[in-house]
Amino acid sequence: MFSVVSDDDAVTHGLPGLRVVTDDRATLLGRDGHDLLVLDGVLHPDGGMTPPRLLRMLRAAADAGTSADWSAVKGRYAGAYLRSTPGGTQLLAFNDHLGVADLYAWTDGPDHAVRRVAVGDDFAALLPRIPASARRLDEHAADAFRVLGATVNGRTFARGVRRLPPGTLLTFGGGTVRRERSWRYRFEPTARDFDEAVDRCWHLITQAGRRIAAHTERRRPALLGISGGHDSRVTGAACLAAGMELTGYFFGERDSTAARAAGHVARIWDVPLEFTGHHGELSRYFERALRHQPLADLEWCKYLPGRDTLVAGSGALLSGRLGDHLLSDKGHQPEDGPQDDRAIATDLLRELAKEPQEPTATERIVTDITEELAALGGSSVQRRRGFNFHSMSMSVKQCGLFHTLGKIPHHSVFEDIDVFECALDLPNAWRVGNRFYDTLLARRQPRLAPSRVAVPTTNEHKPIERWLRGNAEFAAHAGHLVDPAEDMALPGRRQTFGEAIDAIVAGRATRNEIHGFFRRATVKAYERTHG
């Protein structure tokens, strides 16, 4: 984690006016009184890019006044380059091609007259370093979160803080700010032979596995959530092929179809499979999750209970995050839909909305989606796919399954830029019915093919409505995070947070109603904790 904030009273590393705040994961390189590189994350070693080489590249680019060649900088990282000049300190903030490592920014004043600035890769850590007025809840973001389960177009719950797009170069100097994109989605589908595409995709997935292995503590096994589905099967196979030792875990119901599929996969691999199963403890993780990531939907805390003991003995956390959005039927997008950005945005909202919304909220959300689509470019299919992966993945990204509240790093083979770009090249038709994904497993990992593993098609293994029924601890924790007397502002009817909590504990609430409660509780908890 790092933050770089304006501080007229402090001089850090010889760079006047800016204060650098880091934890022990951030790399610091530079020369006292001249410049400094702050880097949090990992660079892919097989690309030959190292932090010292990156620093040299940044220095050369600054001296020449031209943009650096970022195509060689592969990995998942966010950073800041601070350069001391006779006219003051110049700050260049950047993040990776896919935005896997977040980059957030706050500026005080319009772009042409910036007075103060704060950038960082940790939203929760950045909040205390900006004025209280900038931390107030962004109602537009709250509307989107209540409807979609995620914010869009870079909005965060904090009114003054924006999450920057993938491949951003943000330059501050001389009281101005300039934003560039070092990379954009490569929307150039190739009419490649199907068999060739399967082989190429598998090669890149196993390459991603080797990249993960290079950054993982080998003396301890990596922890992999195994569901029996495509994503975890492919991830585990790639990481095992890279020589990693795995411990599997399953968080859902032990007697479910999904648990049996996960057990079958673990036996094929000959790896241990742990069943965490402490669902009664779910409510204890709410406040921890909010402190770690205030944008995290509290419903996702269901992935955390019981896992702490496994995390303590693991070198990394692995998942198949977003694989289905790239290779499965979920990646298929209609080709005969609307073509202009606003019509696509309206269509996307209709498709993704989890509940009805007020007309004013609808207008705001459509406008934000429209702006994000325009920035992506490409055909209508490509804009839809890019939005689904980049924007809607935020709801998944903050899910407790994919982080350990900072204890160990998380990796996914599908967050590798080469795998991602290869998947973008796949024609729509190959995704229908999971044809490409099924063929990939059948040809490259026949023991894990769908014909060998009964893949569950329902979520019956994670019945959150049953986990919360009769859970007095949940009622106490939820009542602490929200005001039980406050109206939840449900469209078309009135219900307080307290009434919703009572219904959930009594077992009268459906799964969708529980999810709606959590989305609203997340927003309200942010207001009470940070706003």
Side-chain angles (χ1 to χ4, degrees):
M1 178 274 292
F2 75 88
S3 300
V4 180
V5 297
S6 299
D7 190 339
D8 294 333
D9 300 322
V11 177
T12 303
H13 300 286
L15 296 168
L18 290 170
R19 178 162 50 98
V20 181
V21 182
T22 72
D23 67 9
D24 58 5
R25 290 178 300 166
T27 299
L28 291 167
L29 292 173
R31 300 174 296 174
D32 250 5
H34 293 85
D35 58 5
L36 179 76
L37 170 64
V38 187
L39 183 70
D40 192 3
V42 295
L43 301 172
H44 291 336
D46 56 6
M49 183 60 65
T50 61
R53 181 183 169 195
L54 177 59
L55 179 56
R56 291 194 298 270
M57 186 180 79
L58 288 165
R59 285 175 179 158
D63 289 336
T66 59
S67 297
D69 178 14
W70 287 89
S71 62
V73 190
K74 294 182 178 180
R76 52 180 188 84
Y77 55 83
Y81 174 60
L82 292 83
R83 179 177 176 81
S84 187
T85 69
T89 305
Q90 184 184 55
L91 168 65
L92 173 67
F94 53 90
N95 63 341
D96 64 70
H97 299 78
L98 289 183
V100 178
D102 288 316
L103 185 63
Y104 299 94
W106 165 77
T107 55
D108 182 16
D111 285 359
H112 61 274
V114 174
R115 292 182 290 274
R116 290 180 296 167
V117 63
V119 298
D121 65 338
D122 187 294
F123 182 54
L126 199 62
L127 289 175
R129 311 185 195 286
I130 63 175
S133 59
R135 296 197 300 267
R136 291 174 187 159
L137 180 69
D138 181 344
E139 290 293 349
H140 293 201
D143 285 341
F145 194 89
R146 285 187 287 258
V147 172
L148 301 173
T151 59
V152 295
N153 198 28
R155 290 190 184 274
T156 70
F157 285 161
R159 186 177 302 172
V161 179
R162 285 295 182 119
R163 177 180 179 265
L164 300 179
T168 289
L169 293 173
L170 196 65
T171 305
F172 299 91
T176 62
V177 57
R178 185 176 75 255
R179 193 175 88 176
E180 304 171 86
R181 294 289 295 273
S182 64
W183 174 87
R184 291 182 184 274
Y185 292 107
R186 190 185 65 185
F187 288 131
E188 298 174 357
T190 303
R192 168 188 308 133
D193 174 79
F194 185 89
D195 292 336
E196 177 191 346
V198 167
D199 291 341
R200 172 171 166 73
C201 187
W202 182 250
H203 166 74
L204 294 175
I205 288 172
T206 53
Q207 173 182 272
R210 291 191 296 272
R211 288 171 169 173
I212 292 172
H215 295 296
T216 301
E217 170 59 64
R218 291 300 189 103
R219 291 176 296 178
R220 295 187 295 169
L223 185 63
L224 171 66
I226 302 176
S227 66
H230 289 79
D231 302 339
S232 59
R233 279 181 281 165
V234 166
T235 299
C239 291
L240 285 170
M244 297 178 65
E245 181 183 352
L246 301 183
T247 293
Y249 81 94
F250 183 84
F251 84 95
E253 298 288 302
R254 185 188 288 261
D255 60 352
S256 63
T257 302
R260 289 191 289 275
H264 182 51
V265 171
R267 286 191 296 274
I268 289 175
W269 286 335
D270 192 25
V271 302
L273 180 64
E274 303 285 346
F275 290 86
T276 54
H278 303 294
H279 306 311
E281 300 175 359
L282 184 153
S283 52
R284 301 178 191 176
Y285 293 82
F286 294 165
E287 291 183 75
R288 287 178 58 196
L290 279 173
R291 286 195 302 270
H292 178 78
Q293 176 48 268
L295 292 171
D297 188 337
L298 294 178
E299 187 260 330
W300 291 117
C301 291
K302 67 189 178 187
Y303 289 107
L304 294 173
R307 200 180 62 183
D308 279 1
T309 55
L310 301 178
V311 168
S314 303
L317 179 66
L318 304 175
S319 77
R321 187 179 95 83
L322 296 177
D324 53 358
H325 288 271
L326 291 178
L327 300 180
S328 79
D329 211 309
K330 284 187 180 180
H332 177 271
Q333 298 296 330
E335 299 188 23
D336 56 353
Q339 301 298 307
D340 66 283
D341 289 329
R342 189 164 188 86
I344 294 174
T346 303
D347 202 40
L348 282 168
L349 178 58
R350 187 183 307 113
E351 172 190 335
L352 299 170
K354 303 178 188 302
E355 58 186 54
Q357 57 278 337
E358 300 292 347
T360 53
T362 298
E363 176 65 23
R364 292 171 180 172
I365 297 169
V366 167
T367 298
D368 272 337
I369 296 176
T370 301
E371 290 180 8
E372 187 156 322
L373 290 169
L376 287 171
S379 71
S380 62
V381 172
Q382 293 158 348
R383 296 199 300 278
R384 277 178 171 270
R385 190 175 298 158
F387 176 82
N388 277 328
F389 187 92
H390 172 47
S391 296
M392 295 315 300
S393 74
M394 285 301 296
S395 64
V396 182
K397 184 172 185 177
Q398 313 307 352
C399 160
L401 177 62
F402 306 117
H403 64 67
T404 55
L405 304 185
K407 291 182 179 178
I408 58 175
H410 165 262
H411 300 277
S412 169
V413 295
F414 302 104
E415 290 178 337
D416 184 284
I417 181 61
D418 293 331
V419 175
F420 178 82
E421 289 191 326
C422 176
L424 284 184
D425 282 349
L426 301 177
N428 244 346
W430 293 0
R431 293 182 169 87
V432 178
N434 287 343
R435 178 189 170 204
F436 187 86
Y437 223 158
D438 288 347
T439 305
L440 183 78
L441 282 167
R443 295 185 182 175
R444 306 304 308 209
Q445 290 290 307
R447 294 194 304 160
L448 300 172
S451 60
R452 296 289 306 276
V453 180
V455 183
T457 57
T458 67
N459 288 331
E460 45 86 25
H461 68 291
K462 44 184 178 182
I464 194 169
E465 63 273 25
R466 190 161 77 237
W467 299 347
L468 296 178
R469 187 180 305 146
N471 192 328
E473 190 175 13
F474 161 73
H477 278 277
H480 174 65
L481 287 175
V482 300
D483 178 0
E486 185 173 356
D487 191 339
M488 284 175 42
L490 289 164
R493 67 181 191 276
R494 293 181 59 84
Q495 184 179 28
T496 66
F497 281 99
E499 290 169 340
I501 293 169
D502 290 343
I504 292 169
V505 174
R508 299 194 307 270
T510 66
R511 185 175 298 186
N512 285 340
E513 289 172 337
I514 293 172
H515 289 179
F517 166 83
F518 274 110
R519 289 192 297 272
R520 283 167 171 75
T522 301
V523 173
K524 289 300 176 183
Y526 171 83
E527 280 191 286
R528 296 187 70 174
T529 307
H530 302 280

